[in-house]
Amino acid sequence: MRPALIRRLGRGGRWLVLLVALLAGGCTPAAKTGDAIRFGLAAAPVTLDPRFATDATSARINRLLYARLVDFDPRLRPVPALARWERLTPLHYRFHLDPDRRPFHDGTPLTAADVKATYEFILDPEQGSPHRAALAVVRRIDAPDRDTVDFFLNHPDPLFPGKLVIGILPAARMAAGHPFNTRPLGSGPFAFGAWPEPGRLRLLRLRDRQVVEFVRSKDPTVRLLKLMRGELDLVQNDLPPELVRYAKRQEALRVSFGEGTNFSYLGFNLQDPLLKDRRVRQAIAHAIDRPAIIEHMLGGGARLASALLPPDHWAGVALPACAYDPERARALLREAGWGGRRRPHLVYKTSADPFRIRLATVILQQLSEVGFEAELKSYDWGTFYGDIKAGRFQMYSLAWVGIKTPDIFRYVFHSRSVPPGGANRGRYVSTVADRLIEQAEAAPTLVQQARHYAALQRHLFAELPYVPLWYEDHVVVARADIRGYPIARDGNYDGLIQVRRQ
């Protein structure tokens, strides 16, 4: 596709910018109610109970409310948070709680009994926690004293500490059936304030009593208008590039970018007669001009990706980018038996989000230029995601968000992880991939695991069960008087611990 055409399609949301300008013209900043810092959200949290939270908004807010045993360093290696640990044997991990840990927000102390009760609840199949499968390796939990927790495993797992990231709840309140989903009680840096309506949640920052209010505003144009009028103080992500470019020109706003780890990709149904041919998948990879899309449609806000994990992850590997080469794409299609009037037909599914539709339109145009006959179908999110999980697709695009540990490879690529047993939605079957995943899981150290995962990622890059696209940056748009909000690579909201109004 010609760069000029990409630029025109990349500006397909110009009407959003015009609408913002028209609605904002002549407006004076709205008066603020109190001194709360207001954080704009595209979607409200579903639950404030970390035992059941799976959506990104809930998980990020729960990080502020609850302390957890383990966190991650910049290379996504597990590090102590609420507790340090030692591996006494390959099947026995002992965690020592920080003696200076905060109590729960009602003043009761956080003890090993609370850790034990939290994780035993998750492991109880009767409770229906969605996190139970990730902790199936746990055989037994003991709390020999107030400050010590012992986890006994069914089999060795060097990744185990990185799985203990669930917020800790008070055991007595759990036993009493406290409604944590709407009235959270943790020991994090923020305490629950009020949840007067689904789209408005107030938290209290404990160190200085600063109120932070999360305000849902589904429409990105409305969120930017609220920022310009002073009805919101900052938003993170969920703004199309044209609105970000517009925000950068506003004196009242500050725009910041940070590298992200969210991995965007094209997925394939590998049972499809066309796409099970690796040459066709390679042709698709070479037909897409990812640098031009990143520059003109994403506003430069992404990095090229060649694997699910970024290369600076402790289990990542540096791989060459799949080059934009339309001639090579055409040659691969000819090798696969296509050419002339015989054009392979592709149906590309995406969500009904306007930006995702424009992005899919660009990709399909590039595919058509190398010899594909491409068709776009867009659906509301629920229908689209339901089709993907059920395998009702030929090709689609999605992103993996917040990936930290390499056990994601079993979940996504092992032949036994076809839904509902996992997220191998493309029905990828490879004895080589299965063997490398199992060897990595059986390796006794992270260094040895990293070698196997590197070999696995090289194999996936050669096989292309999906086409890696990019790692999207995070973008924060804030009022000019809002300072001190660092952007986390995984998109969490921990910057609210430090943010201030100048």
Side-chain angles (χ1 to χ4, degrees):
M1 176 181 284
R2 296 185 302 277
L5 183 53
I6 295 178
R7 285 194 294 271
R8 287 200 297 275
L9 286 169
R11 292 193 296 267
R14 186 185 300 169
W15 64 271
L16 291 174
V17 175
L18 292 174
L19 179 60
V20 170
L22 286 170
L23 292 176
C27 291
T28 57
K32 294 184 181 295
T33 304
D35 59 354
I37 292 176
R38 292 175 174 79
F39 191 102
L41 296 173
V46 174
T47 177
L48 299 181
D49 186 335
R51 299 170 298 177
F52 296 98
T54 57
D55 63 290
T57 303
S58 297
R60 290 165 178 168
I61 292 176
N62 282 335
R63 277 181 60 90
L64 303 175
L65 290 164
Y66 299 89
R68 56 212 162 274
L69 292 179
V70 177
D71 213 333
F72 296 91
D73 71 6
R75 292 196 62 200
L76 297 176
R77 295 170 295 197
V79 293
L82 184 59
R84 61 179 177 86
W85 67 87
E86 53 184 331
R87 190 174 77 157
L88 300 181
T89 75
L91 299 179
H92 182 189
Y93 283 80
R94 171 162 287 174
F95 285 77
H96 303 277
L97 298 181
D98 184 345
D100 298 323
R101 61 191 180 271
R102 279 188 296 262
F104 289 109
H105 299 146
D106 64 354
T108 57
L110 188 158
T111 71
D114 301 303
V115 177
K116 182 176 186 289
T118 298
Y119 280 98
E120 286 184 337
F121 181 99
I122 293 169
L123 290 168
D124 183 352
E126 297 297 319
Q127 304 298 341
S129 170
H131 303 295
R132 177 172 174 264
L135 293 163
V137 67
V138 177
R139 176 169 56 89
R140 189 177 90 245
I141 306 171
D142 289 344
D145 58 53
R146 286 169 57 89
D147 299 316
T148 308
V149 186
D150 287 331
F151 287 86
F152 297 90
L153 310 185
N154 292 310
H155 56 80
D157 182 1
L159 295 178
F160 175 67
K163 297 176 180 179
L164 299 181
V165 293
I166 307 298
I168 304 303
L169 291 75
R173 294 293 187 108
M174 282 190 282
H178 180 83
F180 291 96
N181 60 321
T182 57
R183 289 166 51 202
L185 178 60
S187 63
F190 284 79
F192 177 68
W195 202 353
E197 54 186 296
R200 192 171 298 273
L201 168 68
R202 287 193 289 273
L203 304 185
L204 179 68
R205 190 165 64 191
L206 296 179
R207 67 175 175 85
D208 60 1
R209 316 303 289 177
Q210 171 68 58
V211 174
V212 173
E213 187 170 67
F214 294 92
V215 181
R216 181 186 62 191
S217 182
K218 293 182 179 180
D219 186 87
T221 305
V222 174
R223 283 200 301 282
L224 184 56
L225 276 171
K226 288 178 178 290
L227 269 173
M228 294 171 65
R229 287 176 50 82
E231 297 171 23
L232 293 174
D233 292 299
L234 72 161
V235 300
Q236 179 173 298
N237 298 329
D238 298 314
L239 290 175
E242 57 271 12
L243 289 185
V244 175
R245 287 191 289 266
Y246 182 80
K248 290 170 71 173
R249 299 195 296 270
Q250 309 307 307
E251 292 185 4
L253 303 179
R254 297 165 59 92
V255 179
S256 304
F257 295 89
E259 285 190 354
T261 58
N262 294 347
F263 171 73
S264 295
Y265 66 98
L266 286 180
F268 304 121
N269 187 336
L270 298 176
Q271 294 180 334
D272 181 83
L274 172 64
L275 292 171
K276 69 180 181 181
D277 189 327
R278 183 176 62 173
R279 294 168 297 185
V280 174
R281 303 195 300 273
Q282 290 173 323
I284 291 171
H286 285 299
I288 299 171
D289 191 351
R290 296 179 300 158
I293 292 173
I294 290 173
E295 178 182 357
H296 299 294
M297 296 202 69
L298 301 179
R303 295 173 293 149
L304 288 174
S306 298
L308 195 158
L309 297 178
D312 57 351
H313 188 286
W314 68 264
V317 61
L319 295 169
C322 190
Y324 172 57
D325 189 344
E327 286 304 319
R328 176 62 178 152
R330 295 184 187 100
L332 284 163
L333 285 183
R334 288 194 295 270
E335 289 177 23
W338 301 94
R341 294 186 177 182
R342 294 191 70 247
R343 293 168 62 89
H345 184 78
L346 280 175
V347 177
Y348 181 161
K349 285 191 175 183
T350 189
S351 72
D353 178 82
F355 176 73
R356 297 299 163 185
I357 291 174
R358 295 200 303 278
L359 183 60
T361 301
V362 169
I363 291 174
L364 290 186
Q365 177 62 29
Q366 292 177 344
L367 293 176
S368 70
E369 290 179 356
V370 302
F372 286 95
E373 185 179 277
E375 177 184 359
L376 174 62
K377 292 187 176 181
S378 64
Y379 303 88
D380 66 89
W381 171 255
T383 301
F384 166 65
Y385 193 49
D387 282 354
I388 301 309
K389 290 190 291 184
R392 294 189 293 267
F393 62 87
Q394 190 180 23
M395 185 173 79
Y396 69 94
S397 60
L398 265 178
W400 283 105
V401 176
I403 300 303
K404 292 184 173 66
T405 58
D407 51 3
I408 183 67
F409 288 111
R410 169 175 284 276
Y411 186 58
V412 176
F413 295 114
H414 199 282
S415 60
R416 291 200 294 271
S417 294
V418 171
N424 185 351
R425 297 160 185 154
R427 279 62 181 171
Y428 175 59
V429 177
S430 166
T431 56
V432 174
D434 287 355
R435 173 174 53 81
L436 289 170
I437 290 168
E438 291 161 8
Q439 287 175 340
E441 292 171 341
T445 68
L446 295 186
V447 172
Q448 292 170 294
Q449 282 195 330
R451 286 200 290 268
H452 291 299
Y453 282 123
L456 171 65
Q457 289 168 91
R458 293 188 190 98
H459 174 71
L460 295 173
F461 186 71
E463 288 284 295
L464 285 180
Y466 60 94
V467 170
L469 295 175
W470 44 72
Y471 306 109
E472 291 191 21
D473 290 347
H474 300 294
V475 57
V476 170
V477 183
R479 299 283 299 176
D481 61 343
I482 296 296
R483 302 298 177 92
Y485 183 89
I487 301 175
R489 294 188 68 194
D490 66 354
N492 67 50
Y493 300 156
D494 289 10
L496 292 171
I497 300 170
Q498 302 172 228
V499 72
R500 67 190 186 280
R501 190 189 306 282
Q502 183 166 297

